[in-house]
Amino acid sequence: MTFFLQLIVTGVAVGSIYALAALGFVLIYKSSRVINFAQGELIAIGAFITYGLTVWAGLNIWLSLAIAIGLMYLLGQGIERVFLRPMIGEPIISVIMVTIALASVLSGLVYFTPFGTLTARFPSYLPDTPLRFGGIVLRWEHLVGILLTVIFISVLLWFFTRSTLGIAMRAVADDQMASLSVGVSIEKVFALAWAAAAMSATAAGFVVGSLYGLELAGLIAIGLRVFPVVILGGLDSIAGAIVGGITIGILEQLASGYLDQYVPGGGTGEVFPFVILIVLLLFKPYGLFGTKEIERV
Amino acid sequence: MKLYIRLFFSLVVFALLGLGLAQQEIVFGWSGAVTGPTSDAGRFVLQAIDDYCRYANEEQLIPGYTVNCITRDDQYNNDNTLRNFEAYLDEGMVAFIGYSTGGTLQLKVNALEEEIPVIGSSLHIGVIDPPDNDFMFLPISSYSEQVLALLEWIADNYQGEGAPKVAIISHPSAFGRAPVEDARNAAELLGVEIVEVQETGEGLDYTAMLQRWSAAGVQYVIGQNVQSPIAAMLNAAQALGLKDSMTFMGAHYTGGETLTNLAGDAAEGFLWATSYYLESEGTPGMVLQREIGERYGRSEETITDTNYTTGLLQAAIYVEVARRAAAAGEVSSQSIYEALMSMNGVNAFDSGFGVGPVSFGEGDRVGVDAMRLIQVQDGEWQPITEPYNSRTFPQVHPLN
Amino acid sequence: MAVNRWIQSGNYRRNYKEDQTIFATFSEQASLVVLIILLFLVPYAPFMSRSLFRLFDLVLIYTVAVMGLNIVTGFAGQISIGHAAFMGVGAYAAATITRDLAVPLLGFADAVPFWYVLLLLPVSGLIAATAGAFVGLPSFRLKHLYLAIATLAFQIIFTWSVGHTPWLKQGGSIRVPRVEFFGEIIRGSSAIGPFFYYFGLVVVIVMALAFRNLLRSKFGRALVAVRDNDRAADAMGINPGATKVMAFAIGGFYAGVAGALLAFYNGSVIVESFSLAISIDFLAMAIIGGLGTLVGSLIGPVFLQFLDPWVEQLADLVQWVMPSTIDVGTAMRPSVFGIIIVLFLIFEPRGLANWWRLLRQYFKRWPFKF
Amino acid sequence: MYSGVPPQLVVTDLTLSFGGLNALSNVSLEIEPGSITSIIGPNGAGKTSLLNCISGFYRANSGSIKFEGHELVGASPHQISKLGVARAFQNIELFSGLSVLDNLMLARHSHLKYSFWEALLFYGRSQKQEIKNREYVEQIIDFMELEPVRKAVVGELAYGVRKRVEMARALTLGPRLLLLDEPMAGMTLGEKEDIVRFILDIKAERGTTVVLIEHDLGVVMDISDQVYVLDFGQRIAGGPPELVAQNPAVIEAYVGEEAVL
């Protein structure tokens, strides 16, 4: 029983990292119907900036994180401006391909810096001994991940329900043409979505870096794991990103906890989410919370 | 008419000159990952190859010849490796240094058909297993032998009741899977129980895995992986308080400075099997390593890295065989191959980088046969054995 | 004949049958024949080296795969991010059939005869087509974005499954025998290079002809109809789901043939040749070449394959002015790759095929400017 | 009904709802072969929804649609189109990247009888079939007077012409029942007259049944054999135009438009 509970707890913790990574992805899709294949690169760059500020500039790690999130806001805006804005109105295949190209450009840029070949970890900033609840262990890094997820969700919720821009974003998500006609700037909204994606990616990268170390390929790989999460939760649902993230996190843990021993070589945790994804696409294509598009003829 | 004759003769002279010059140059090719997966190791190997070749030319290690080492990134992509290999053939390559497991395995048939010797960084035993193995060489002992040595150490040092319980964490690739089968066979011989083999690459969390192992009573964990997942696992083990009940160890690519840097305290007690000396030991080979690294302005990180040693050893072996071939006559892939195959007995080559002499010959395609176990003690890597060979390996995996 | 069809600059077809033909003028047809003859003469060029042969051979093999991707993505409008995995299915089919069936049953010694290879190419293609159709199945219910993710999942599941199947050597190298061509075993890169150049060229031509014929038939029109407007296609009696599944199956077939070709070319099959990165390369080739055109799938692979060595040389130049701690070639490759795709998408979304079209038009109207 | 010929299309108690909102409630109607039937009603009355149900784009919650004895509820659009029901869309749904010719050839999809393998060879039967169907398409092009734009890309054509291509494409399917959703919307008077002429010709020359949704009541009253009136998803009247025009319920629904009637 403890084993099971432990798997659940770890699953929730890991899942909240996925949720963080998926949040930005969903925001971009929700506002502009773009699938972002560069989410992993954003995660990596966010983590590297934080590392650079902490280790090379010698700043406090939390301050570094805050500055990195700020810088990533600018990067997100910049990416939208340079790469995505010229693509508004283009066929969706082109737009998706732009994000694939963007991923390539971003990782190329990382290789122009020493981060390209870096393997490092953040200086330890949390207590070494983990939290214990009975037999169940929760690492401090996991707790940070959960807390960051909660913070990001609360800020987003506040933003969407209270601020004018947030309401504009919701309007654009509902109907681009209509919001255009009432004077909402969709460019501004798209840019904001990208900025938010870059910011939440930074937070995710920070947690991943704290837990497993910083390495370009490993950080980029987290970007791929976003896909099962968003398919489960629904591509355009923020609540779905959270629930999807945590569900996938738990399923992954349960798979490696109970299935690995029956599979030669194990590693079911890595592929299980994608199997779920395929099954979901066959039976519940719009996810748990996604909106089904009704076609008007 | 006279003009034509003169032109003709000058052409002949130029051609001969060109031929003469070409003979003076020995081309070695290296293709490995400077970007993409495993590039953290690959870039050090590349720097070492470049450096050693420069060093060989500056010191005129092969009198009358210059060494030209062509090094190109293949992004861990086999298509690129094969393309580089053929590009080097166009450049007159006489011997090739491979890198990735996949690329080297795929090169076997090409090496055979082109009769070009290949030394790789991959220590996959399949590289030198038949078929098509005639031109394939390993610089140091294979992953299989390293893992078997660790299993032997477990069998020898285990003091509890029943059979010691071992789990293997391997990389999700041919590289990671290389020693698994041999390990299972050896474990049977040694009376060690392999509870589970788990493949983990960019897996996010090791908590479930470690707890499952802990519940199953695993006492030893052997890694056949690269440093960062091992470091993440060690951190998780420390967080879970499993460091007392489990001993962690690993084959060649798990250890080194990178591991201690990444894992910090959690690396304490980690046991590592390798055939290289450590830079900190200050043996003659390591003094040379530092000298070469400093001469070409390499960072401290590079100089102390084992992968830098890997590259130096590979280049040194080829430079040595080329020297011998040159002394005996002309340098060609054929003469290099023959020099490699006679590098044994009194002709064995003591490079100083490995813990034993490099020897090749019929039935011996492993350069430095011996290895040592090295442990992290108070944050430093300390050898805990003398150089030795695995005793079970010849039984489990007879070579030729 | 009222009009000389060699020099006509407009469309003067007189019956529906003529209207179906692929080429507007004889001169176009003739220039294509000349081009093909030139391509067959390339191996005799003095500049051909082993590495150039390898580049050309891979271009030809990838061209077959990219044609398939173009059917799925360019014509049917379904993004496939798992095309390399279909190629892998074909390659593994060829390797395992040869290893487990052909060699023990037919008793080939150290090489397989050429007729066997010819037979195996379509067989591998069909097996990959089955996989393609299976992955395409969700298209009965899904629109393209979700389907793109399904193909990504297939790519990941493929890699994982191969890695966990001892029968497939867990992704390690499976040896494929060399080809015996009329008594001569093709081995060594100086023989393999030209042999697979000709073989690949013939396969590309055959597959391109089939592609072209398919496009002017009702099936080709149905693909485009589904891409442009699947509701209207539905109303025209075209089953959009079935058409998409068909597109995936055809795409899979092309990829499978390419995979089998690659297996015989390399003499071994290894899972790394069919990674996600290769899938993305294929997409880039299709896009830069020009989605939805046959010419595009022929030009795209050439462009991207030759870009690589070109960037390497450029990087060697740039390296002089950069700090030695950074490997410029390393950094430039992904950057240039990405930037070129972006530039094409923004400034020439119709790809190189459009340049080709403009060039053709120019020559057709020559010497008139318009 | 009146002539004793069995009706071609019978809609019985059709109900369609979206999230609790009834787009159609218990609509029943019958259409005779070879007639022109108009469906009129204010905006949002459910006219297009009815057409969508007949052509299979919406699936009715209850009721039945019988076309020549075949049940259409539950069938998909491509199945229905193969039964001989064609449809032109209100908002033009052409394949905008293709030429007019290709758009029309697409409508011959299910009439082209050759296999995939024959298509790859493109010789023999596939070629003959293509030519035969191309001839059919050319007849329609002549009929709809589209010769000058035959090879033009649809996306580049003027609105009125595209509307005509839309109708031509539906006709190319060779249907026995043609559903036209506001074929004259947004057209000039001259263009409208052309379309009216085409509709009458379709009936006269080809004997095709036409179901028409149209707002121009003048046209409706002129050419229809039968008129059905929908309001709030319910059928409020039906019958010959002169009778419908005098129906008090219709007049109420069309307050202010009596003058037109």
Side-chain angles (χ1 to χ4, degrees):
Chain A
M1 192 61 195
T2 321
F3 181 54
F4 177 76
L5 284 177
Q6 176 70 52
L7 289 180
I8 299 290
V9 168
T10 317
V12 170
V14 173
S16 64
I17 302 172
Y18 294 160
L20 262 182
L23 259 184
F25 185 94
V26 167
L27 279 177
I28 291 174
Y29 183 82
K30 202 172 162 62
S31 61
S32 58
R33 302 284 139 183
V34 173
I35 287 190
N36 176 20
F37 278 95
Q39 195 71 8
E41 278 74 10
L42 290 177
I43 290 172
I45 293 178
F48 285 142
I49 293 179
T50 316
Y51 178 85
L53 289 170
T54 314
V55 176
W56 296 343
L59 299 180
N60 173 287
I61 194 154
W62 300 107
L63 183 64
S64 307
L65 177 63
I67 297 175
I69 289 180
L71 289 172
M72 289 298 283
Y73 172 87
L74 297 177
L75 180 71
Q77 291 256 349
I79 286 173
E80 197 279 334
R81 186 79 195 79
V82 176
F83 289 91
L84 276 304
R85 198 162 299 176
M87 303 306 296
I88 291 179
E90 293 289 326
I92 204 76
I93 296 184
S94 310
V95 188
I96 289 180
M97 202 56 212
V98 159
T99 71
I100 291 178
L102 171 69
S104 189
V105 172
L106 288 179
S107 63
L109 289 181
V110 172
Y111 278 120
F112 271 112
T113 70
F115 293 122
T117 44
L118 181 84
T119 26
R121 60 182 206 136
F122 287 116
S124 88
Y125 62 100
L126 291 167
D128 270 350
T129 42
L131 293 158
R132 283 183 185 278
F133 309 94
I136 296 161
V137 184
L138 182 66
R139 294 174 67 180
W140 281 94
E141 291 89 345
H142 280 143
L143 190 65
V144 169
I146 296 172
L147 285 178
L148 280 173
T149 310
V150 171
I151 292 171
F152 266 83
I153 304 288
S154 333
V155 171
L156 277 176
L157 280 182
W158 171 85
F159 178 76
F160 274 121
T161 46
R162 292 293 153 83
S163 89
T164 357
L165 203 53
I167 293 165
M169 266 182 103
R170 261 167 52 195
V172 170
D174 275 354
D175 191 337
Q176 278 189 22
M177 289 315 280
S179 33
L180 207 61
S181 60
V182 297
V184 172
S185 154
I186 59 167
E187 277 105 346
K188 206 170 168 185
V189 168
F190 289 179
L192 199 69
W194 275 87
M199 283 164 30
S200 64
T202 310
F206 174 70
V207 183
V208 174
S210 315
L211 274 170
Y212 318 111
L214 296 154
E215 195 215 348
L216 186 61
L219 290 166
I220 289 176
I222 310 290
L224 278 185
R225 298 183 159 234
V226 165
F227 288 98
V229 171
V230 292
I231 289 294
L232 179 64
L235 274 173
D236 56 354
S237 160
I238 292 177
I242 311 299
V243 178
I246 290 172
T247 315
I248 292 287
I250 292 174
L251 288 175
E252 223 178 85
Q253 289 300 315
L254 291 179
S256 38
Y258 293 107
L259 290 182
D260 269 8
Q261 44 206 332
Y262 304 110
V263 179
T268 46
E270 290 183 27
V271 77
F272 195 54
F274 288 94
V275 176
I276 299 175
L277 187 158
I278 292 265
V279 173
L280 267 172
L281 283 177
L282 283 170
F283 296 105
K284 195 154 176 39
Y286 297 95
L288 297 176
F289 300 95
T291 38
K292 185 178 189 315
E293 290 163 31
I294 296 174
E295 295 205 46
R296 299 178 61 86
V297 194
Chain B
M1 199 62 192
K2 241 180 177 176
L3 185 73
Y4 281 110
I5 294 171
R6 195 179 293 172
L7 254 171
F8 175 70
F9 270 104
S10 49
L11 268 176
V12 168
V13 169
F14 274 121
L16 284 175
L17 254 172
L19 223 73
L21 279 174
Q23 274 183 345
Q24 296 301 307
E25 192 181 75
I26 303 167
V27 179
F28 297 129
W30 179 84
S31 174
V34 190
T35 51
T38 76
S39 54
D40 45 339
R43 69 188 161 129
F44 293 127
V45 179
L46 171 125
Q47 290 174 345
I49 306 266
D50 282 345
D51 290 355
Y52 195 85
C53 292
R54 268 176 87 180
Y55 172 79
N57 288 335
E58 283 174 22
E59 300 292 321
Q60 297 193 323
L61 292 185
I62 314 174
Y65 287 89
T66 55
V67 179
N68 177 14
C69 291
I70 317 174
T71 51
R72 268 184 215 152
D73 181 15
D74 61 23
Q75 301 159 294
Y76 210 71
N77 174 341
N78 301 338
D79 281 341
N80 292 341
T81 316
L82 293 172
R83 179 158 63 81
N84 287 341
F85 181 79
E86 282 174 18
Y88 300 158
L89 286 178
D90 290 330
E91 313 253 355
M93 168 177 66
V94 292
F96 181 77
I97 308 172
Y99 179 76
S100 71
T101 296
T104 315
L105 286 175
Q106 207 161 26
L107 256 175
K108 284 174 77 175
V109 58
N110 301 64
L112 177 72
E113 288 173 359
E114 309 293 346
E115 302 190 340
I116 294 283
V118 172
I119 288 184
S121 292
S122 166
L123 308 175
H124 193 301
I125 193 70
V127 168
I128 55 166
D129 273 342
D132 309 328
N133 60 337
D134 292 13
F135 287 81
M136 309 302 289
F137 300 92
L138 296 185
I140 62 167
S141 53
S142 62
Y143 303 130
S144 296
E145 192 166 356
Q146 291 163 3
V147 169
L148 263 47
L150 291 168
L151 284 170
E152 287 160 19
W153 185 89
I154 292 168
D156 295 346
N157 289 274
Y158 180 68
Q159 277 152 4
E161 298 287 305
K165 291 184 171 173
V166 180
I168 294 178
I169 172 170
S170 69
H171 195 262
S173 65
F175 151 64
R177 294 164 193 135
V180 172
E181 205 188 321
D182 286 338
R184 285 192 194 277
N185 294 335
E188 221 160 277
L189 280 180
L190 292 164
V192 173
E193 185 191 344
I194 294 183
V195 176
E196 201 179 318
V197 177
Q198 168 85 44
E199 288 182 5
T200 328
E202 278 122 6
L204 254 188
D205 203 279
Y206 299 94
T207 316
M209 179 186 85
L210 285 169
Q211 292 207 315
R212 191 170 70 246
W213 288 351
S214 159
V218 169
Q219 295 133 326
Y220 302 92
V221 177
I222 298 179
Q224 163 58 3
N225 214 310
V226 287
Q227 290 110 338
S228 42
I230 298 289
M233 175 184 71
L234 291 174
N235 282 325
Q238 193 174 39
L240 293 170
L242 294 174
K243 290 280 292 175
D244 298 328
S245 57
M246 285 186 197
T247 308
F248 293 88
M249 45 186 73
H252 175 70
Y253 283 103
T254 58
E257 294 296 320
T258 315
L259 184 75
T260 34
N261 290 342
L262 283 174
D265 295 346
E268 194 62 27
F270 187 85
L271 210 59
W272 177 35
T274 186
S275 302
Y276 292 116
Y277 278 117
L278 300 174
E279 202 278 330
S280 55
E281 291 179 88
T283 53
M286 291 298 111
V287 172
L288 180 63
Q289 172 166 335
R290 176 161 288 278
E291 187 197 324
I292 293 175
E294 281 173 356
R295 186 189 290 192
Y296 303 113
R298 298 302 180 193
S299 68
E300 192 61 22
E301 190 198 1
T302 306
I303 293 172
T304 54
D305 197 285
T306 321
N307 296 307
Y308 191 64
T309 319
T310 305
L312 290 181
L313 177 66
Q314 291 166 337
I317 293 174
Y318 275 159
V319 168
E320 174 62 19
V321 286
R323 191 186 63 75
R324 291 178 188 183
E330 58 152 12
V331 180
S332 65
S333 57
Q334 187 57 35
S335 63
I336 293 255
Y337 177 71
E338 281 159 10
L340 273 171
M341 292 302 275
S342 61
M343 192 178 245
N344 49 44
V346 286
N347 286 328
F349 168 51
D350 190 7
S351 65
F353 300 116
V355 295
V358 178
S359 63
F360 294 113
E362 280 307 323
D364 175 14
R365 296 182 170 273
V366 178
V368 180
D369 299 298
M371 77 186 94
R372 293 184 302 173
L373 297 189
I374 303 172
Q375 194 169 33
V376 181
Q377 291 171 359
D378 303 320
E380 297 294 327
W381 292 100
Q382 299 290 346
I384 58 162
T385 67
E386 288 303 307
Y388 73 107
N389 280 21
S390 153
R391 62 174 188 270
T392 43
F393 183 66
Q395 291 166 264
V396 171
H397 199 119
L399 290 168
N400 299 51
Chain C
M1 180 178 240
V3 186
N4 184 338
R5 284 193 63 198
W6 283 94
I7 55 165
Q8 70 188 29
S9 57
N11 188 350
Y12 303 103
R13 291 161 179 185
R14 287 150 309 158
N15 60 40
Y16 300 142
K17 188 172 173 176
E18 273 181 32
D19 212 17
Q20 289 173 340
T21 53
I22 300 171
F23 304 102
T25 61
F26 283 151
S27 47
E28 266 184 49
Q29 215 163 348
S31 50
L32 187 82
V33 170
V34 170
L35 182 72
I36 289 178
I37 290 173
L38 278 179
L39 282 173
F40 271 98
L41 290 177
V42 161
Y44 294 100
F47 55 81
M48 285 306 289
S49 59
R50 280 184 253 234
S51 51
L52 257 180
F53 265 120
R54 175 159 274 277
L55 266 179
F56 275 118
D57 295 353
L58 275 182
V59 163
L60 290 168
I61 294 171
Y62 284 172
T63 299
V64 176
V66 171
M67 280 195 272
L69 180 63
N70 215 336
I71 287 173
V72 177
T73 304
F75 286 93
Q78 310 299 310
I79 302 175
S80 169
I81 316 174
H83 204 63
F86 296 125
M87 190 167 155
V89 171
Y92 274 106
T96 49
I97 290 174
T98 307
R99 184 191 62 188
D100 299 340
L101 293 176
V103 171
L105 291 182
L106 301 172
F108 301 135
D110 30 318
V112 289
F114 189 59
W115 62 262
Y116 170 77
V117 179
L118 285 183
L119 202 70
L120 199 58
L121 287 192
V123 170
S124 314
L126 284 176
I127 293 171
T130 316
F134 180 75
V135 175
L137 273 186
S139 49
F140 276 107
R141 297 191 57 181
L142 288 173
K143 294 283 162 180
H144 46 253
L145 289 187
Y146 285 88
L147 206 58
I149 299 177
T151 60
L152 173 73
F154 173 68
Q155 170 79 55
I156 288 167
I157 294 172
F158 168 80
T159 313
W160 189 91
S161 310
V162 171
H164 283 78
T165 313
W167 176 54
L168 301 175
K169 284 203 152 189
Q170 297 201 305
S173 130
I174 300 182
R175 181 86 165 80
V176 181
R178 287 300 189 199
V179 182
E180 189 184 327
F181 188 68
F182 292 107
E184 194 189 338
I185 297 176
I186 311 294
R187 62 200 299 280
S189 60
S190 43
I192 291 172
F195 176 76
F196 274 88
Y197 179 86
Y198 286 123
F199 189 19
L201 197 58
V202 172
V203 173
V204 165
I205 291 171
V206 170
M207 298 294 266
L209 271 176
F211 189 110
R212 198 70 199 75
N213 281 340
L214 189 73
L215 285 185
R216 52 183 177 156
S217 75
K218 65 170 186 172
F219 299 101
R221 280 193 300 267
L223 292 177
V224 180
V226 166
R227 175 192 70 191
D228 276 9
N229 189 334
D230 61 352
R231 293 183 301 273
D234 210 348
M236 294 304 113
I238 296 164
N239 183 342
T243 307
K244 288 175 199 169
V245 171
M246 178 187 80
F248 270 97
I250 301 173
F253 182 84
Y254 275 78
V257 170
L261 211 50
L262 186 73
F264 284 110
Y265 176 58
N266 279 338
S268 57
V269 176
I270 192 159
V271 74
E272 278 112 346
S273 307
F274 315 104
S275 63
L276 180 61
I278 307 276
S279 284
I280 288 176
D281 279 356
F282 284 160
L283 262 181
M285 286 173 189
I287 285 179
I288 290 174
L291 282 175
T293 59
L294 172 60
V295 182
S297 356
L298 306 178
I299 312 177
V302 182
F303 182 82
L304 264 191
Q305 282 287 302
F306 280 85
L307 182 72
D308 221 35
W310 178 75
V311 169
E312 246 164 49
Q313 284 173 0
L314 190 72
D316 286 345
L317 290 177
V318 180
Q319 185 78 61
W320 289 96
V321 293
M322 295 289 286
S324 63
T325 48
I326 290 162
D327 188 67
V328 179
T330 297
M332 272 181 67
R333 233 192 288 230
S335 319
V336 170
F337 175 79
I339 287 170
I340 282 184
I341 298 175
V342 171
L343 289 179
F344 265 99
L345 286 170
I346 295 179
F347 296 108
E348 189 53 276
R350 282 176 293 183
L352 288 168
N354 196 39
W355 297 3
W356 171 255
R357 191 179 61 86
L358 295 175
L359 193 79
R360 234 174 54 169
Q361 240 163 36
Y362 174 82
F363 278 111
K364 206 155 120 186
R365 287 171 183 164
W366 189 84
F368 309 105
K369 277 227 170 99
F370 45 86
Chain D
M1 277 185 289
Y2 307 107
S3 52
V5 184
Q8 192 178 23
L9 183 81
V10 184
V11 177
T12 328
D13 287 336
L14 199 70
T15 300
L16 173 76
S17 62
F18 292 114
L21 200 75
N22 275 7
L24 295 171
S25 15
N26 297 318
V27 174
S28 300
L29 46 89
E30 290 184 354
I31 288 165
E32 276 184 71
S35 67
I36 296 180
T37 305
S38 293
I39 298 171
I40 61 170
N43 279 324
K47 302 184 296 286
T48 301
S49 294
L50 178 62
L51 244 55
N52 278 338
C53 285
I54 299 173
S55 54
F57 283 94
Y58 290 166
R59 191 187 175 137
N61 300 63
S62 65
S64 93
I65 304 170
K66 282 242 158 60
F67 173 73
E68 295 177 351
H70 299 280
E71 179 61 57
L72 300 188
V73 173
S76 58
H78 55 268
Q79 289 166 335
I80 291 172
S81 105
K82 281 181 194 156
L83 289 175
V85 180
R87 147 157 210 196
F89 295 89
Q90 178 183 359
N91 308 311
I92 301 167
E93 298 275 356
L94 291 168
F95 307 108
S96 52
L98 299 182
S99 67
V100 171
L101 198 61
D102 281 341
N103 265 279
L104 300 191
M105 278 305 278
L106 262 163
R108 299 303 294 169
H109 185 83
S110 26
H111 297 268
L112 285 159
K113 304 272 184 242
Y114 56 84
S115 72
F116 183 78
W117 309 108
E118 285 168 310
L120 289 180
L121 287 175
F122 210 80
Y123 192 78
R125 189 152 73 130
S126 53
Q127 204 171 21
K128 286 199 197 90
Q129 285 272 320
E130 286 281 330
I131 292 172
K132 199 176 118 204
N133 282 282
R134 172 73 190 271
E135 280 161 1
Y136 187 91
V137 165
E138 290 293 338
Q139 281 172 23
I140 303 283
I141 288 180
D142 283 348
F143 181 77
M144 295 293 289
E145 293 161 19
L146 288 166
E147 298 94 334
V149 293
R150 188 188 278 127
K151 296 226 162 166
V153 173
V154 164
E156 293 161 7
L157 296 174
Y159 175 79
V161 184
R162 273 187 288 158
K163 231 24 206 177
R164 198 145 29 112
V165 176
E166 173 84 39
M167 206 168 133
R169 190 182 60 178
L171 201 58
T172 314
L173 277 164
R176 292 189 299 283
L177 172 63
L178 179 63
L179 310 171
L180 299 174
D181 196 348
E182 301 196 21
M184 287 163 255
M187 286 195 161
T188 63
L189 196 62
E191 287 171 331
K192 272 189 190 178
E193 282 171 355
D194 284 343
I195 299 283
V196 169
R197 186 162 50 81
F198 290 141
I199 295 175
L200 290 172
D201 285 352
I202 290 170
K203 178 189 169 185
E205 290 178 21
R206 316 180 79 89
T208 308
T209 319
V210 177
V211 173
L212 180 71
I213 294 181
E214 188 44 59
H215 276 295
D216 189 328
L217 294 180
V219 172
V220 169
M221 296 300 154
D222 274 356
I223 65 172
S224 307
D225 299 318
Q226 209 174 182
V227 174
Y228 286 99
V229 188
L230 292 184
D231 195 14
F232 293 110
Q234 286 174 323
R235 176 186 148 181
I236 56 173
E242 6 4 300
L243 286 179
V244 168
Q246 286 148 24
N247 189 318
V250 179
I251 295 169
E252 197 185 326
Y254 276 89
V255 185
E257 292 189 54
E258 278 165 276
V260 185
L261 299 169

